């Protein structure tokens, strides 16, 4: 990571992180701020938390702006002098079931606003956070970046729209843009309410010695990816010219079922007696992820491979975070 950051600082000085108060966005902010970059976090705090950024507030090279990315006029005030945009603001998957219209507005219109401003202010690099949900049910394994795009949720459709806008701006206006498709990210600061990730939800429940819900039969397979790997991948794509106009899966390649995850965490907490509660499948939930990460690894990227170790570290950090 140190070498990547040195290269990043040689090319850029001022960065916007949308969704900067969120789980992933706050980790991107942290890495860049502590390495001397000027960073602007943009977040409307509908999902992000001020708590995620409070340890950065004292840095002179950091500012946190309360702004909705669907508000073009307010958004524009943040752009003068910016070199790079890491676009992580999004309406999350579970929220789309409650309010699909808002999901569309944030993930499509919000992205379009950022792209228009990126062209207007001559942004040097635009890195779009996307999702494995754009693929839909797998037609073959492992899923590579050429897999058909047939999303089966509102969220998958709206995130795919964002991707398409990014690539259109690359083709029409020469925007230096890249797309990262995230898969099942876990780590400290992850949201633990009903809109959060399964790892953090299980951690919260086990801290409180409560059983967790598992939707379906628990055999659904996920490719859990550590949040620091996501940060590193964003920085890599910002500095590597081979990534211009390209889309990359960002998945660890570690395949774990939800049942296996629950059992592993229960043993870590010595809560083997806590049985999960099984409920109906979620609408649009994909049963199996077996994801190819060969393309990003061809750029020299290496993922964390010790899932049990990083899970244990996450549990320890989340105990303090949730305490």
């Amino acid at each position: 990571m140190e070498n990547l950051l040195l290269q990043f600082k040689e090319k850029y000085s001022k960065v916007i992180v949308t969704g900067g108060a969120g789980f992933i966005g706050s980790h991107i902010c942290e890495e860049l701020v502590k390495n001397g970059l000027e960073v602007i976090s943009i977040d409307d705090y509908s999902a992000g938390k001020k708590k995620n950024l409070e340890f950065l507030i004292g840095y002179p090279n950091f500012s946190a702006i309360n702004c909705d990315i669907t508000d073009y006029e307010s958004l524009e005030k943040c752009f003068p002098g910016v070199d790079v945009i890491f676009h992580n603001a999004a309406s999350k998957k579970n929220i789309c079931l409650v309010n699909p219209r808002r999901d569309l507005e944030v993930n499509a219109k919000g992205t379009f606003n950022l792209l228009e401003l990126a062209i207007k202010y001559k942004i040097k690099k635009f890195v779009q956070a996307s999702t494995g949900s754009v693929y839909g049910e797998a037609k073959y394994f492992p899923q590579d970046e050429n897999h058909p795009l047939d999303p089966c949720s509102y969220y998958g459709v709206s995130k795919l729209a964002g991707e398409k806008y990014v690539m259109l701006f690359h083709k029409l206006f020469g925007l230096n843009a890249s797309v990262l498709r995230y898969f099942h990210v876990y780590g400290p600061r992850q949201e633990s309410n009903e809109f959060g990730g399964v790892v953090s939800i299980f951690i919260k429940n086990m801290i409180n010695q409560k059983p967790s819900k598992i939707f379906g039969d628990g055999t659904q397979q996920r490719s859990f990816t550590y949040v620091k790997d996501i940060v590193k991948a964003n920085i890599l794509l910002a500095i590597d010219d081979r990534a211009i106009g390209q889309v990359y899966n960002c998945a660890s390649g570690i395949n774990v079922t939800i049942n296996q995850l629950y059992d592993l965490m229960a043993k870590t907490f010595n809560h083997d007696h806590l049985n999960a509660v099984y409920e109906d499948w979620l609408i649009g939930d994909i049963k199996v992820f077996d994801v190819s990460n060969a393309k990003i690894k061809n750029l020299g990227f290496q993922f964390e491979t010790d899932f049990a170790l990083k899970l244990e570290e996450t549990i320890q950090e989340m105990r303090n975070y949730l305490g």
Side-chain angles (χ1 to χ4, degrees):
M1 177 73 89
E2 183 177 348
N3 185 49
L4 290 178
L5 285 163
L6 286 173
Q7 294 179 63
F8 188 90
K9 290 170 69 175
E10 288 175 357
K11 298 183 73 169
Y12 313 116
S13 60
K14 190 173 183 179
V15 179
I16 282 176
V17 181
T18 68
F23 164 42
I24 296 171
S26 67
H27 282 276
I28 296 174
C29 288
E30 177 182 11
E31 198 67 50
L32 296 176
V33 169
K34 289 186 174 180
N35 281 277
L37 280 302
E38 184 177 353
V39 177
I40 301 171
S41 163
I42 294 177
D43 205 299
D44 68 355
Y45 298 96
S46 58
K49 294 181 176 180
K50 292 182 179 179
K51 177 181 180 181
N52 289 343
L53 297 174
E54 60 186 8
F55 65 100
L56 296 177
I57 296 302
Y59 285 82
N61 54 323
F62 177 72
S63 56
I65 307 298
N66 189 334
C67 179
D68 186 332
I69 62 169
T70 66
D71 181 350
Y72 184 94
E73 287 73 23
S74 297
L75 194 59
E76 184 170 11
K77 297 173 184 177
C78 304
F79 268 74
V82 169
D83 299 313
V84 182
I85 298 173
F86 292 112
H87 177 28
N88 284 263
S91 170
K92 303 301 182 184
K93 182 178 180 180
N94 290 353
I95 294 174
C96 81
L97 299 175
V98 178
N99 191 347
R101 189 174 295 276
R102 175 61 177 169
D103 179 82
L104 172 64
E105 184 178 36
V106 173
N107 294 344
K109 177 185 175 182
T111 300
F112 190 87
N113 283 346
L114 288 161
L115 290 165
E116 280 198 315
L117 289 167
I119 297 302
K120 182 175 181 178
Y121 286 88
K122 297 180 173 55
I123 298 299
K124 296 177 182 176
K125 184 70 191 189
F126 192 106
V127 181
Q128 167 82 355
S130 190
T131 170
S133 295
V134 300
Y135 291 120
E137 292 288 351
K139 306 295 190 296
Y140 60 80
F141 293 115
Q143 287 174 296
D144 59 19
E145 290 81 357
N146 294 318
H147 186 280
L149 303 175
D150 187 20
C152 52
S153 65
Y154 292 119
Y155 173 72
V157 171
S158 66
K159 290 297 288 182
L160 179 56
E163 276 196 24
K164 294 295 187 181
Y165 278 130
V166 170
M167 288 306 166
L168 183 63
F169 273 71
H170 165 66
K171 292 174 182 176
L172 293 180
F173 305 108
L175 178 66
N176 181 345
S178 304
V179 174
L180 271 175
R181 291 174 180 155
Y182 298 167
F183 288 83
H184 314 117
V185 187
Y186 72 99
R189 299 182 215 137
Q190 188 172 28
E191 185 61 72
S192 58
N193 63 20
E194 69 272 24
F195 299 125
V198 64
V199 171
S200 58
I201 291 172
F202 284 0
I203 290 173
K204 182 179 180 179
N205 288 337
M206 289 185 185
I207 287 173
N208 295 318
Q209 299 193 42
K210 294 180 179 179
S212 295
K213 295 178 184 178
I214 292 179
F215 297 98
D217 60 13
T219 60
Q220 57 267 51
Q221 183 174 286
R222 301 292 182 254
S223 187
F224 290 104
T225 307
Y226 190 52
V227 66
K228 296 295 186 184
D229 281 344
I230 300 292
V231 176
K232 185 168 65 172
N234 273 272
I235 294 170
L236 173 62
L237 263 58
I239 63 174
D240 195 323
D241 288 344
R242 291 174 294 176
I244 297 173
Q246 296 295 314
V247 177
Y248 295 88
N249 289 335
C250 195
S252 67
I254 301 168
N255 296 324
V256 180
T257 69
I258 300 301
N259 284 333
Q260 289 171 333
L261 173 69
Y262 190 86
D263 291 345
L264 179 59
M265 293 179 67
K267 289 176 182 176
T268 302
F269 276 92
N270 294 316
H271 287 345
D272 293 25
H273 62 286
L274 278 180
N275 294 321
V277 177
Y278 290 85
E279 298 195 354
D280 290 341
W281 291 99
L282 288 174
I283 297 172
D285 197 18
I286 296 170
K287 307 301 187 295
V288 177
F289 284 89
D290 183 5
V291 184
S292 171
N293 58 17
K295 185 175 179 181
I296 196 167
K297 289 174 79 173
N298 283 340
L299 298 180
F301 191 87
Q302 294 182 331
F303 288 89
E304 290 284 354
T305 55
D306 193 335
F307 177 63
L309 175 63
K310 290 303 173 184
L311 183 61
E312 186 172 346
E313 290 178 5
T314 298
I315 289 170
Q316 295 308 317
E317 292 196 47
M318 287 293 283
R319 284 181 189 271
N320 297 326
Y321 180 77
L322 296 171

